[in-house]
Amino acid sequence: MTALRRLPAGLAHPFSPAGRSDPYPAYDWLRANDPVHFDVTSRMWLLTAHEHCASALKDPRFSAALGQRERVRDDDLPASMLTTDPPEHNRLRGPGMALLGPAAVRELAAGIAAVVDGLLDGLADAAEVTRDLGEPFATGVLARTLLVPREDEAAFADLARRASVNLDPLAGPQAAREGRVAMGELTRFLDAHVARGPGGSIGRLAADERLTRPEMLGILSLAVVGGWRPLAEMVGNALFWLLPRPEALAALREGGDDLARTAVDELLRLEAPIPFTARVTTAEVSFGDAAIPAGARVLAVVAAANRDPAVFDRPGDLVLTRSPNPHLAFGAGTHFCLGAPLVRQAGALLLRGLAERFPAIRPDGAPPAWAPVLVPRRLSEFRIRLS
């Protein structure tokens, strides 16, 4: 192990209450001075350079399955693509493509467009971004994806909201207990929904003989838990960057579908709702002079990697036309987010629709503040006015 280094005095640790609101000064210092950093506070290795994070996400010596077992919480997540390594991961991922792969998203395109149009039609002039826009957006997109009937959407949204605590690896005991209960209720909801034979991609997934029923339900549950809260918070995170920049909103209005999808990637690069990914090493791994031992807990801090000046020109700026954009907000390697096509499609429709319909959209009231939480990266309160 290399000599231990600590953050300079006066620089908030990124996991501390102050650092959670603005972790980027600490990330920048670590990336520049100690990119393979053993953090004595969390007893974890923090990778902050794009090169090292991308390598860890692709290298089989960094185990996702063991990473999930190292959660602070004492409950195990169900077996899924998130909690397994190849070849088991690959066995589950193949059927998952029926639900969230590019062909499935193309099949859903008209339905997602209708969800976005209906949401924008119903907006009041003054709105709170997450409550009035982000959460209904996430609910509508995932309900359409899973073919949840409209009369069941309110119950589905409540379950998705309560189960989303399972995203946080540092959730406290009470939150963890509530998350376990919500996950059980969500699984039973999805089981009953599948039993009604909704057809489409859900029917194809349910009929896939490569999966047991618990595995099939695990894929559906992962789509909800891994998708609902990040989709909801992506909206506020994106508008935080867009609304103070009229030129960016004008570009979205005029740039067409391709620019809108490129913009989604750039906005996710700047503010990824999921800022890091946990792994555990199965063998010693060296990055230059730094050696990470076998059995070490590692965080690939993608929020830091996504602002690495060695990879991104003007890393702290919003560049809607940035291409290529090798950000890691969707992960990398075998665990690259299966829902990426859905996020790009739905996010592009929503952001472009907001820019086109509401050219005077602007912040309203007090400036938005970042919530002092780790996962997901989100705003506490963000009020906007549309006209």
Side-chain angles (χ1 to χ4, degrees):
M1 181 186 296
T2 55
L4 293 179
R5 303 188 68 176
R6 294 179 180 268
L7 289 165
L11 193 60
H13 190 285
F15 299 167
S16 70
R20 291 179 183 196
S21 296
D22 184 13
Y24 295 106
Y27 290 161
D28 291 344
W29 187 91
L30 288 170
R31 191 177 53 241
N33 297 279
D34 197 18
V36 183
H37 172 77
F38 183 73
D39 178 46
V40 295
T41 301
S42 63
R43 308 299 295 176
M44 302 180 89
W45 289 81
L46 307 184
L47 306 180
T48 50
H50 188 281
E51 174 190 6
H52 301 148
C53 287
S55 177
L57 293 173
K58 297 173 183 177
D59 190 329
R61 293 176 295 176
F62 290 85
S63 168
L66 294 178
Q68 292 301 316
R69 294 173 194 166
E70 290 293 330
R71 293 154 58 90
V72 167
R73 298 168 45 165
D74 61 3
D75 59 315
D76 292 330
L77 292 178
S80 69
M81 287 174 280
L82 182 66
T83 60
T84 53
D85 296 321
E88 183 69 0
H89 170 85
N90 299 338
R91 185 181 68 81
L92 297 172
R93 188 178 181 90
M97 291 291 287
L99 182 69
L100 292 171
V105 172
R106 287 193 294 271
E107 185 178 295
L108 292 167
I112 293 172
V115 166
V116 171
D117 285 342
L119 176 59
L120 297 181
D121 287 344
L123 281 177
D125 180 56
E128 198 286 314
V129 168
T130 300
R131 183 181 62 249
D132 300 326
L133 189 56
E135 291 185 355
F137 168 67
T139 298
V141 169
L142 286 173
R144 178 68 66 168
T145 302
L146 301 181
L147 301 180
V148 174
R150 185 170 296 277
E151 62 268 23
D152 292 338
E153 283 190 14
F156 173 70
D158 177 66
L159 288 170
R161 182 181 298 106
R162 291 194 289 119
S164 291
V165 72
N166 291 287
L167 281 173
D168 187 353
L170 302 179
Q174 179 61 32
R177 283 192 293 272
E178 293 171 357
R180 283 196 295 272
V181 171
M183 182 61 78
E185 293 178 17
L186 175 63
T187 301
R188 289 191 290 275
F189 175 93
L190 293 170
D191 195 14
H193 173 56
V194 171
R196 289 192 289 268
S201 60
I202 303 297
R204 292 192 292 273
L205 183 68
D208 196 311
E209 295 181 353
R210 292 173 290 180
L211 300 173
T212 65
R213 192 165 186 88
E215 288 170 342
M216 179 272 295
L217 292 172
I219 290 173
L220 294 178
S221 298
L222 177 60
V224 177
V225 174
W228 189 84
R229 180 57 69 187
L231 267 175
E233 305 302 353
M234 179 191 75
V235 179
N237 294 6
L239 292 180
F240 175 87
W241 281 88
L242 288 169
L243 296 196
R245 297 169 174 82
E247 71 284 358
L249 286 169
L252 273 176
R253 279 193 295 274
E254 301 161 7
D257 294 339
D258 288 344
L259 177 68
R261 282 189 288 270
T262 300
V264 169
D265 276 290
E266 176 68 350
L267 291 159
L268 286 170
R269 180 188 72 83
L270 286 165
E271 298 293 354
I274 307 300
F276 48 71
T277 298
R279 297 286 189 266
V280 169
T281 51
T282 60
E284 181 178 291
V285 182
S286 295
F287 292 119
D289 294 334
I292 302 177
R297 303 159 67 203
V298 179
L299 287 185
V301 186
V302 299
N306 285 345
R307 300 192 186 196
D308 189 339
V311 176
F312 301 99
D313 183 46
R314 298 165 54 199
D317 293 344
L318 175 65
V319 182
L320 292 184
T321 56
R322 191 182 297 274
S323 182
N325 190 345
H327 70 83
L328 300 176
F330 291 126
T334 59
H335 282 85
F336 184 84
C337 178
L338 197 60
L342 179 66
V343 173
R344 288 176 172 133
Q345 174 84 0
L349 285 170
L350 180 68
L351 295 177
R352 188 181 178 198
L354 284 167
E356 288 178 341
R357 290 208 196 189
F358 309 108
I361 186 173
R362 62 195 184 278
D364 184 30
W370 293 102
V373 297
L374 286 174
V375 182
R377 171 77 168 160
R378 62 180 179 85
L379 294 162
S380 294
E381 177 87 359
F382 189 3
R383 303 200 67 83
I384 58 173
R385 191 162 291 277
L386 300 175
S387 63

